[in-house]
Amino acid sequence: STGAFLMSVTLRVGVFAHSSGVSFEQKVGAYLVDIGYDPEALVTGATQVFDFSLKKNGQAVEVASIWTRILWGEKTYLATGINVPDLGKPTLLFTFQNPGAYSLEASFRSQSGEELAGVKFPFEVALSEFEGTRDRPYMYYLLFFMLGACVGYVAFSRFKTKG
């Protein structure tokens, strides 16, 4: 059966450095693919920032677009293209909803659409330590029901004594 996935995807333009110094790096022919990510811990529920760069001989290579895909096991979880901004690095924000084995694929494309470099990085996403407490809506329903019952009781009691 197919399940619905809740996810948050945002493309953001800006200037980012690998603040934690963590990145996926791979040499592809004459190119070096560098995909930085922050925060360092890949966990559920946290917005992950991925920034993409392609270098040749230590210099940034101009690309027109980057095709990306995030796989959860063998299932495609996200497939999208990222346009390269005039200023800053191409960036993808993503929130993982499920723990497990993932992989990130990226294809750096020239203006003509030719693939300059393609990579696939496997990684694990862990269950957040807060995951067990953040998704308990029934607790809120119970709290609001009890609060409503208390307010109703007080209001009814005051109305009954005045009448």
Side-chain angles (χ1 to χ4, degrees):
S1 93
T2 58
F5 295 109
L6 296 175
M7 66 181 144
S8 171
V9 177
T10 307
L11 299 179
R12 181 171 78 178
V13 176
V15 179
F16 301 98
H18 304 316
S19 59
S20 61
V22 197
S23 64
F24 299 120
E25 290 183 345
Q26 183 176 331
K27 193 102 164 101
V28 180
Y31 298 102
L32 175 66
V33 174
D34 182 5
I35 302 175
Y37 59 94
D38 190 47
E40 183 175 349
L42 295 161
V43 296
T44 57
T47 300
Q48 203 68 47
V49 179
F50 294 98
D51 60 54
F52 299 79
S53 67
L54 183 65
K55 295 178 183 175
K56 185 176 183 179
N57 299 323
Q59 300 296 317
V61 174
E62 190 173 317
V63 297
S65 64
I66 303 166
W67 299 354
T68 60
R69 188 163 75 144
I70 295 177
L71 293 105
W72 182 34
E74 295 299 317
K75 292 183 179 182
T76 298
Y77 204 62
L78 168 74
T80 189
I82 301 174
N83 288 322
V84 178
D86 293 332
L87 180 64
K89 292 183 180 181
T91 302
L92 171 70
L93 272 63
F94 189 80
T95 303
F96 293 96
Q97 299 298 320
N98 301 296
Y102 287 84
S103 58
L104 172 63
E105 295 178 353
S107 175
F108 293 80
R109 301 287 175 147
S110 68
Q111 196 68 27
S112 65
E114 173 192 1
E115 182 179 68
L116 301 173
V119 292
K120 182 176 183 176
F121 298 107
F123 59 94
E124 288 285 326
V125 172
L127 184 65
S128 169
E129 62 184 76
F130 302 108
E131 192 72 24
T133 59
R134 85 176 168 95
D135 291 329
R136 293 192 182 166
Y138 64 88
M139 293 296 287
Y140 295 112
Y141 297 138
L142 181 60
L143 178 66
F144 287 127
F145 173 77
M146 293 176 67
L147 182 61
C150 290
V151 168
Y153 176 77
V154 169
F156 182 73
S157 296
R158 288 190 181 190
F159 178 74
K160 190 175 179 182
T161 58
K162 287 184 180 182

